[in-house]
Amino acid sequence: MRTSLITLTLLLVPLTLTATGCEYNETIGSGLDGEGGAPGCTTDCGGKPGTGGSDPGTGGAAGAAPHTFCGDGVVQPERGEDCDFGDANGSDYEGCTDRCQLGPRCGDGVIQSGYERCDDGNTKAGDGCSPTCGDEGDCGDAIVQEGEECDDGVNETEYGAFGCGPNCRIPGYCGDALVQEGEECDDGENGGEGGCGPGCLLDSFCGDGDAQGWEECDEGPNNRDGVYGACTLACALGPRCGDGVLQEEAGEECDDGNNDDLDGCSSVCLIEGVCGNGLREGSEACDNGSDNGQIEYGGCTVECALTPRCGDGNLDEVFGEQCDDGNRTAGDGCSIVCTLETACGDGVVQTDLGEDCDDGENDGGYGECDEGCVLGPHCGDGILDPEYEACDDGGLEPRDGCSPECLLQ
């Protein structure tokens, strides 16, 4: 009787197995729904029917704890896990295997080709193999040696970031007073105002060719000291017309402190007369007195400027000009009244225009006039022309062996 009660009690109590048959947190069903059936296992902390008999038993009571496993990202030492990187399990060097065991790494006593130069089974410094499994004394051993600025064992930090860069050098950054690649300047402060600005970019400065509010002028590389009309090296206006200082050596006749016209001193510092008084004065081009503005061609305007005229280089056909060569000189093809002068080919020899001949055709036949109103082949030119000459001594003297007609004497 006592034996039967013990057996019944064991069948009613759910069991948690840790050996073959059920994994952790799997429970055995009671098996009460089947007679003679072996208790079954569930895999979700209860709630599923038991299996194993001819009639399955009922599942155990629903559990409260979630199912745990290798790969859930939680290290469970009681299950023999050394690590658990979740979905990253199974990675290579310095990773975690898919069985939650430490993978190959520095300090495991095995030199991993491609990753390590040594491995003495620890990650201590000063024992010949560095904490990163490199030869101690080399850049990359995580020990700052003589001649190194830094060494974090990785040394891949780039410009502008905190860390150690390649060759165990502290990465450059804007503000280190060293001009790095990509920087226009770096004075260590980079506050601008004519020097180096934020971001290590050049700020506006005297000499950049762009006049700022604090500059009177800026002509860039043309800034010069002591040059009339120029901008000084300090970006201030140099001596010039309009500064109120008479500078005769620069050609100034006056300087009234401005660059206005019609105030007695012109915009180029020349004395202005009174336009209309009939006297050409200062910068006036002409002054015909009361006739100013009355004559459209060859006259003078009310501002004492020249009107269109012969010799101004502009062909004014409306005023009867046939030509205008920019001067009023005779004998150059355009007369002093801007009409066409006679020319080569008009049959008139004009020696003042340099013509040797002009037969109207100027086709260059023997003894005739050639193109350009110069003599063509002829007796006396010193060139024997057998078709027309028996001799040619270059002259036209008689009784010298060759007659003026180029016949033998």
Side-chain angles (χ1 to χ4, degrees):
M1 177 66 174
R2 185 174 181 179
T3 302
S4 299
L5 289 173
I6 292 172
T7 303
L8 180 60
T9 300
L10 291 173
L11 292 172
L12 292 172
V13 178
L15 299 178
T16 299
L17 301 182
T18 59
T20 304
C22 287
E23 297 293 337
Y24 292 96
N25 297 321
E26 295 179 346
T27 60
I28 303 172
S30 66
L32 294 180
D33 291 340
E35 295 183 0
C41 291
T42 67
T43 59
D44 59 354
C45 300
K48 290 186 179 180
T51 61
S54 58
D55 291 315
T58 61
H67 181 54
T68 57
F69 57 93
C70 174
D72 60 6
V74 179
V75 180
Q76 301 169 81
E78 71 276 7
R79 297 191 57 185
E81 294 182 354
D82 293 330
C83 56
D84 196 327
F85 296 167
D87 292 339
N89 285 354
S91 59
D92 295 329
Y93 187 73
E94 297 286 358
C96 189
T97 70
D98 54 11
R99 298 182 67 83
C100 289
Q101 302 298 308
L102 291 172
R105 65 192 54 242
C106 178
D108 62 6
V110 180
I111 299 176
Q112 308 295 330
S113 178
Y115 298 96
E116 302 171 347
R117 297 181 67 177
C118 60
D119 196 321
D120 57 2
N122 64 64
T123 54
K124 297 178 181 179
D127 60 0
C129 189
S130 76
T132 56
C133 288
D135 293 335
E136 286 189 320
D138 292 343
C139 176
D141 61 4
I143 301 173
V144 180
Q145 312 286 340
E146 183 178 355
E148 297 177 346
E149 295 178 353
C150 56
D151 194 332
D152 59 13
V154 180
N155 307 324
E156 294 180 351
T157 305
E158 297 180 351
Y159 171 87
F162 179 78
C164 194
N167 300 317
C168 290
R169 299 296 178 199
I170 296 174
Y173 59 95
C174 179
D176 61 5
L178 298 173
V179 180
Q180 314 284 342
E181 184 177 357
E183 297 177 345
E184 293 180 354
C185 56
D186 193 333
D187 59 14
E189 297 181 1
N190 308 323
E193 298 185 2
C196 194
C200 289
L201 300 176
L202 286 171
D203 194 39
S204 298
F205 61 95
C206 176
D208 62 4
D210 185 13
Q212 308 298 320
W214 52 274
E215 299 173 337
E216 292 182 350
C217 55
D218 196 329
E219 297 175 356
N222 294 321
N223 288 353
R224 296 285 188 276
D225 284 338
V227 178
Y228 182 81
C231 187
T232 70
L233 295 176
C235 289
L237 292 171
R240 66 190 53 234
C241 174
D243 61 5
V245 179
L246 179 62
Q247 297 165 99
E248 294 180 341
E249 67 280 4
E252 292 183 353
E253 296 178 354
C254 57
D255 195 323
D256 56 2
N258 64 60
N259 297 109
D260 297 331
D261 287 318
L262 304 179
D263 60 357
C265 187
S266 73
S267 59
V268 291
C269 289
L270 298 177
I271 295 174
E272 293 179 317
V274 179
C275 180
N277 64 359
L279 299 175
R280 182 183 173 189
E281 301 170 311
S283 60
E284 293 178 349
C286 56
D287 194 330
N288 294 337
S290 60
D291 289 336
N292 285 353
Q294 302 300 312
I295 302 174
E296 216 177 339
Y297 180 79
C300 191
T301 69
V302 293
E303 292 84 16
C304 289
L306 293 171
T307 62
R309 64 192 50 235
C310 177
D312 61 9
N314 298 314
L315 179 62
D316 297 304
E317 293 180 335
V318 67
F319 296 116
E321 290 185 353
Q322 297 177 337
C323 56
D324 195 322
D325 55 4
N327 63 61
R328 300 185 68 187
T329 302
D332 59 0
C334 189
S335 73
I336 60 174
V337 293
C338 289
T339 57
L340 291 171
E341 294 179 315
T342 54
C344 176
D346 60 4
V348 179
V349 178
Q350 302 170 83
T351 55
D352 57 337
L353 296 181
E355 294 181 354
D356 294 329
C357 56
D358 193 333
D359 60 13
E361 295 183 1
N362 306 323
D363 57 5
Y366 182 81
E368 297 177 349
C369 196
D370 205 348
E371 184 179 356
C373 290
V374 295
L375 292 172
H378 60 278
C379 178
D381 61 7
I383 300 173
L384 179 64
D385 190 335
E387 186 177 353
Y388 300 98
E389 302 169 343
C391 59
D392 194 323
D393 57 5
L396 299 177
E397 297 295 329
R399 295 184 295 276
D400 60 357
C402 189
S403 74
E405 293 78 25
C406 289
L407 298 174
L408 292 171
Q409 291 180 322

